[in-house]
């Protein structure tokens, strides 16, 4: 559905490939594949954010952590529950797996993942979970959609007061996106559009809170921009798409 959406925006060819690292490893075999797999698992374990208040903490990962990453890399749908990765370093790692012939502006590589990643914020000097890291490649996270934008303030207050989390989620389920949410695909289309605009014009965001390119920091803003807005894109960004289609 996301691929079809991107194709409808610009009319470009869109390929759907298997899980990113598994797809890259498929071109190797035997000892070479095992060596690259082991090295990548080690790198993934090193990319873990272990303390959101400390930047670039260098820790030698434990063997169980490396084994965990290796298992994730070989599964059809690797999921890292409870693990946060450094977003820009994850992007750098993925860059190494892109075919050199596709490392150019003619290609947009978009990795859709359930892995949660964060980037360092210079304003309050701590890591914050993100939905997207845009560049080469761009990475967008379904877990980021759930965890990064802030939920309603009352939700956090009631949770701190000891109210049942499942009951709270049910009471507020229209106020934020949760795991296994039927609205997730439509939301991810908007973040795919942000990756597309980063590739096209070098900047993925818009100040219009009704535009799909709005950089939402709260769940209410995300819902408005991606699901409730009377239009998809503001006039300025819609014009960019219209011009692209004409070419």
């Amino acid at each position: 559905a996301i691929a079809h959406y991107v194709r409808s925006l610009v009319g470009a060819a869109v390929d759907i490939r298997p899980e990113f690292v598994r797809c890259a490893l498929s071109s190797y075999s035997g000892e070479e594949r095992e060596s690259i797999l082991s090295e990548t698992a080690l790198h993934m374990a090193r990319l873990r954010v272990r303390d959101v208040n400390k930047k670039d903490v260098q820790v030698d990962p434990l063997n169980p952590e490396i084994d965990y990453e290796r298992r994730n890399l070989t599964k059809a749908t690797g999921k890292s529950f409870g693990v946060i990765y450094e977003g820009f370093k994850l992007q750098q790692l993925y860059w190494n797996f892109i075919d050199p012939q596709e490392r150019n502006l003619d290609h947009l590589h978009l990795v859709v993942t359930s892995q949660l990643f964060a980037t360092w914020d210079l304003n309050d000097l701590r890591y914050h979970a993100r939905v997207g890291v845009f560049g080469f490649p761009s990475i967008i996270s379904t877990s980021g959609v759930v965890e990064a934008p802030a939920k309603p303030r009352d939700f956090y207050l009631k949770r701190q007061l000891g109210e049942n989390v499942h009951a709270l989620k049910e009471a507020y389920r229209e106020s934020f996106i949760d795991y296994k949410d039927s609205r997730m695909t439509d939301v991810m289309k908007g973040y795919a559009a942000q990756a597309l605009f980063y590739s096209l014009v070098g900047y993925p965001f818009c100040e219009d809170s009704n535009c799909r390119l709005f950089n939402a920091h709260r769940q209410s803003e995300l819902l408005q921009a991606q699901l409730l807005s009377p239009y998809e894109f503001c006039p300025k960004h819609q014009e960019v798409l219209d011009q692209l289609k004409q070419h």
Side-chain angles (χ1 to χ4, degrees), residues 155 159 163-173 176 178:
F155 176 90
R159 188 177 66 179
E163 291 198 27
N164 182 275
V165 174
H166 294 293
L168 278 175
K169 285 188 173 183
E170 180 61 27
Y172 285 89
R173 61 191 177 97
F176 59 81
D178 202 1

Side-chain angles (χ1 to χ4, degrees), residues 103-123:
R103 294 179 184 177
N104 54 59
L105 296 178
D106 291 333
H107 294 84
L108 162 61
H109 292 275
L110 176 59
V111 181
V112 182
T113 180
S114 62
Q115 291 174 326
L116 185 63
F117 48 79
T119 63
W120 185 257
D121 193 317
L122 291 174
N123 292 317

Side-chain angles (χ1 to χ4, degrees), residues 139-208:
I139 314 172
I140 55 176
S141 168
T142 54
S143 297
V145 168
V146 177
E147 303 293 348
K151 295 178 177 61
R153 184 170 179 268
D154 285 350
F155 176 90
Y156 295 113
L157 290 173
K158 291 179 180 179
R159 188 177 66 179
Q160 289 178 346
L161 293 172
E163 291 198 27
N164 182 275
V165 174
H166 294 293
L168 278 175
K169 285 188 173 183
E170 180 61 27
Y172 285 89
R173 61 191 177 97
E174 295 300 322
S175 301
F176 59 81
I177 302 295
D178 202 1
Y179 295 101
K180 298 183 179 180
D181 197 305
S182 61
R183 300 169 292 177
M184 180 66 78
T185 298
D186 282 334
V187 170
M188 292 296 279
K189 289 177 183 178
Y191 286 94
Q194 291 181 12
L196 175 65
F197 270 89
Y198 181 91
S199 178
L200 293 174
V201 300
Y203 190 70
F205 302 129
C206 178
E207 294 182 358
D208 185 337

Side-chain angles (χ1 to χ4, degrees), residues 3-176:
H4 178 77
Y5 179 72
V6 173
R7 191 181 297 117
S8 72
L9 292 180
V10 292
V14 179
D15 296 329
I16 303 175
R17 297 176 179 175
E19 192 279 327
F20 187 76
V21 176
R22 289 179 64 247
C23 180
L25 288 172
S26 64
S27 59
Y28 301 95
S29 60
E31 292 184 3
E32 186 178 20
R33 182 182 185 280
E34 289 302 308
S35 175
I36 295 173
L37 181 59
S38 297
E39 183 179 350
T40 304
L42 175 60
H43 281 306
M44 289 293 296
R46 285 176 174 166
L47 295 184
R48 294 184 178 197
V49 174
R50 300 172 186 275
D51 187 338
V52 296
N53 296 306
K54 295 181 180 179
K55 187 181 181 183
D56 296 331
V57 176
Q58 298 296 323
V59 177
D60 289 329
L62 302 173
N63 286 333
E65 293 174 329
I66 300 172
D67 292 341
Y68 175 90
E69 298 297 344
R70 185 184 176 91
R71 289 195 300 272
N72 264 352
L73 291 169
T74 54
K75 290 191 298 188
T77 54
K79 296 183 178 180
S80 304
F81 292 110
V83 179
I84 305 176
Y85 300 93
E86 211 292 343
F88 290 123
K89 292 181 180 179
L90 180 65
Q91 182 185 60
Q92 291 170 7
L93 176 64
Y94 283 173
W95 166 259
N96 295 327
F97 285 107
I98 297 176
D99 187 327
Q101 295 183 350
E102 296 183 355
R103 294 179 184 177
N104 54 59
L105 296 178
D106 291 333
H107 294 84
L108 162 61
H109 292 275
L110 176 59
V111 181
V112 182
T113 180
S114 62
Q115 291 174 326
L116 185 63
F117 48 79
T119 63
W120 185 257
D121 193 317
L122 291 174
N123 292 317
D124 58 3
L125 300 179
R126 68 190 302 271
Y127 279 101
H128 287 273
R130 306 296 185 190
V131 181
V133 171
F134 302 108
F136 305 97
S138 287
I139 314 172
I140 55 176
S141 168
T142 54
S143 297
V145 168
V146 177
E147 303 293 348
K151 295 178 177 61
R153 184 170 179 268
D154 285 350
F155 176 90
Y156 295 113
L157 290 173
K158 291 179 180 179
R159 188 177 66 179
Q160 289 178 346
L161 293 172
E163 291 198 27
N164 182 275
V165 174
H166 294 293
L168 278 175
K169 285 188 173 183
E170 180 61 27
Y172 285 89
R173 61 191 177 97
E174 295 300 322
S175 301
F176 59 81

